[in-house]
């Protein structure tokens, strides 16, 4: 059975709209300063709050950040703290496997540590939505949905669900977005006055692209992703092939993250 079928075989107006939104959603790296209205933000969050969550616990709140000084503080914290952490983590990989955004053309760690991308990234996005999670609300679900610590599986799953709906809702309104995973809680929680035991899950800059985004995006063919009844072991990727795939991915995308400069 072929899973890569023509979409006309499943003509359905609502499905076609959803597929079109998913296919055309693109991550924006450079935003214009064109404003986003309060009504647009409200519509996005109205969709987001209908995301599924364990035991319908709805463990999320949203912080809408428009103030330029607060956005600048968040951006600076990301570049100076989160990016430094990720730079060190990437150094655990051999150079050919390192993410292009954290590759450094020097051998001195002290020289290479203080780097940043020359692009503004999400600095100019007119609005940023912070997704905040409260693990206490998630206790309504079964204990099997919990792990030790505040990043309980059902909590992070639920926050990911609401995050995805934000991206799709933004796309449906003609906007674009980016997601910034937060790895170092303290600086961002301090900037946004987020108390314990809450966590900040994601920052989502939203706005209009600085220039038109390229159409479409590559996805693995559906036939290569679907197994019927059981996993087809003949299609299982070996560890050796997975490393080859990673090296090819890094080689193809590394140029997108240049030039990089020391800060």
């Amino acid at each position: 059975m072929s899973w890569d079928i023509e979409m006309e075989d499943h003509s359905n107006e609502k499905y076609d709209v959803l597929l079109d939104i998913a296919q055309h959603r693109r991550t924006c790296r450079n935003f214009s300063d064109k404003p986003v209205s309060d009504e647009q933000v409200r519509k996005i969050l109205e969709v987001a709050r209908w995301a599924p969550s364990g035991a319908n616990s709805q463990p999320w709140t949203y912080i809408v950040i428009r103030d330029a000084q607060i956005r600048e503080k968040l951006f600076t914290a990301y570049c100076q703290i989160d990016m430094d952490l990720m730079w060190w983590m990437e150094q655990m990989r051999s150079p050919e496997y390192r993410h292009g955004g954290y590759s450094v053309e020097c051998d001195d760690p002290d020289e290479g540590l203080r780097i940043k991308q020359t692009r503004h990234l999400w600095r100019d996005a007119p609005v940023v939505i912070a997704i905040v999670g409260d693990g206490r609300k998630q206790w309504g679900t079964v204990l099997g949905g919990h792990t030790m610590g505040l990043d309980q599986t059902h909590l992070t799953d639920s926050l990911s669900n609401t995050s995805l709906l934000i991206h799709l809702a933004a796309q449906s309104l003609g906007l674009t977005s980016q997601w910034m995973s937060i790895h170092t809680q303290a600086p961002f929680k301090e900037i946004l006055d987020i108390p314990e035991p809450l966590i900040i899950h994601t920052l989502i800059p939203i706005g209009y692209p600085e220039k038109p985004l390229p159409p479409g995006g590559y996805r693995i063919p559906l036939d290569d992703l679907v197994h019927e009844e059981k996993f087809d072991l003949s299609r299982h990727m070996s560890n050796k092939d997975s490393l080859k795939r990673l090296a090819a991915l890094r080689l193809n995308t590394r140029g997108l993250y240049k030039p990089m400069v020391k800060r």
Side-chain angles (χ1 to χ4, degrees):
M1 173 181 177
S2 174
W3 287 89
D4 281 321
I5 56 180
E6 295 295 327
M7 287 300 105
E8 291 79 8
D9 294 343
H10 289 269
S11 180
N12 179 284
E13 184 176 352
K14 291 182 179 179
Y15 173 82
D16 291 343
V17 170
L18 176 60
L19 180 63
D20 181 75
I21 291 171
Q23 287 180 330
H24 289 87
R25 192 215 66 81
R26 303 282 288 172
T27 295
C28 183
R29 307 294 184 188
N30 294 279
F31 293 84
S32 76
D33 58 2
K34 181 179 177 180
V36 174
S37 71
D38 290 341
E39 181 64 18
Q40 287 173 308
V41 173
R42 185 173 184 83
K43 286 182 175 180
I44 289 170
L45 296 180
E46 176 60 26
V47 172
R49 75 185 183 93
W50 286 96
S53 59
N56 196 27
S57 59
Q58 304 171 55
W60 46 66
T61 52
Y62 313 102
I63 303 176
V64 178
I65 305 134
R66 292 185 177 279
D67 185 274
Q69 290 185 339
I70 297 177
R71 288 188 284 112
E72 181 68 24
K73 287 180 181 179
L74 292 172
F75 183 82
T76 300
Y78 182 79
C79 290
Q80 294 183 350
I81 301 175
D82 247 39
M83 286 183 73
D84 281 355
L85 171 64
M86 289 184 280
W87 188 89
W88 276 111
M89 293 176 68
E90 284 295 316
Q91 307 318 299
M92 301 177 190
R93 291 173 161 168
S94 297
E96 66 269 27
Y97 302 134
R98 292 175 191 167
H99 189 282
Y102 303 95
S103 297
V104 183
E105 302 296 337
C106 66
D107 297 323
D108 182 358
D110 290 332
E111 181 183 359
L113 178 60
R114 292 292 175 181
I115 61 172
K116 74 172 183 178
Q117 293 163 301
T118 57
R119 296 172 299 171
H120 278 192
L121 296 174
W122 49 277
R123 181 195 300 269
D124 296 326
V127 61
V128 175
I129 297 176
I131 299 180
V132 178
D134 188 341
R136 299 170 301 175
K137 294 181 180 179
Q138 196 60 73
W139 275 88
T141 192
V142 296
L143 286 178
H146 294 263
T147 54
M148 296 301 293
L150 297 176
D151 54 342
Q152 304 154 7
T153 53
H154 268 39
L155 175 60
T156 52
D157 290 348
S158 298
L159 299 178
S160 296
N161 289 340
T162 196
S163 171
L164 176 59
L165 288 187
I166 287 176
H167 293 292
L168 295 179
Q171 174 66 29
S172 74
L173 294 173
L175 299 165
T176 189
S177 59
Q178 185 180 8
W179 85 77
M180 312 303 300
S181 300
I182 300 303
H183 306 93
T184 53
Q185 291 280 311
F188 300 96
K189 292 176 70 172
E190 181 178 355
I191 293 170
L192 297 176
D193 289 338
I194 299 172
E196 296 293 344
L198 279 59
I199 65 168
I200 179 169
H201 177 261
T202 313
L203 293 175
I204 303 181
I206 293 174
Y208 294 91
E210 186 177 55
K211 58 183 179 180
L213 298 175
Y218 170 74
R219 291 296 185 272
I220 298 171
L222 190 56
D223 274 345
D224 294 345
L225 300 173
V226 178
H227 300 249
E228 295 188 57
E229 312 303 345
K230 294 184 178 182
F231 191 92
D232 184 353
L233 291 174
S234 68
R235 296 161 56 191
H236 179 54
M237 183 170 59
S238 69
N239 290 337
K240 182 178 181 180
D241 286 340
S242 71
L243 290 177
K244 288 182 179 178
R245 182 178 184 277
L246 178 59
L249 176 67
R250 295 305 186 222
L251 182 63
N252 290 335
T253 61
R254 186 156 289 161
L256 299 175
Y257 297 90
K258 302 296 182 182
M260 303 187 72
V261 296
K262 297 182 286 295
R263 59 174 187 265

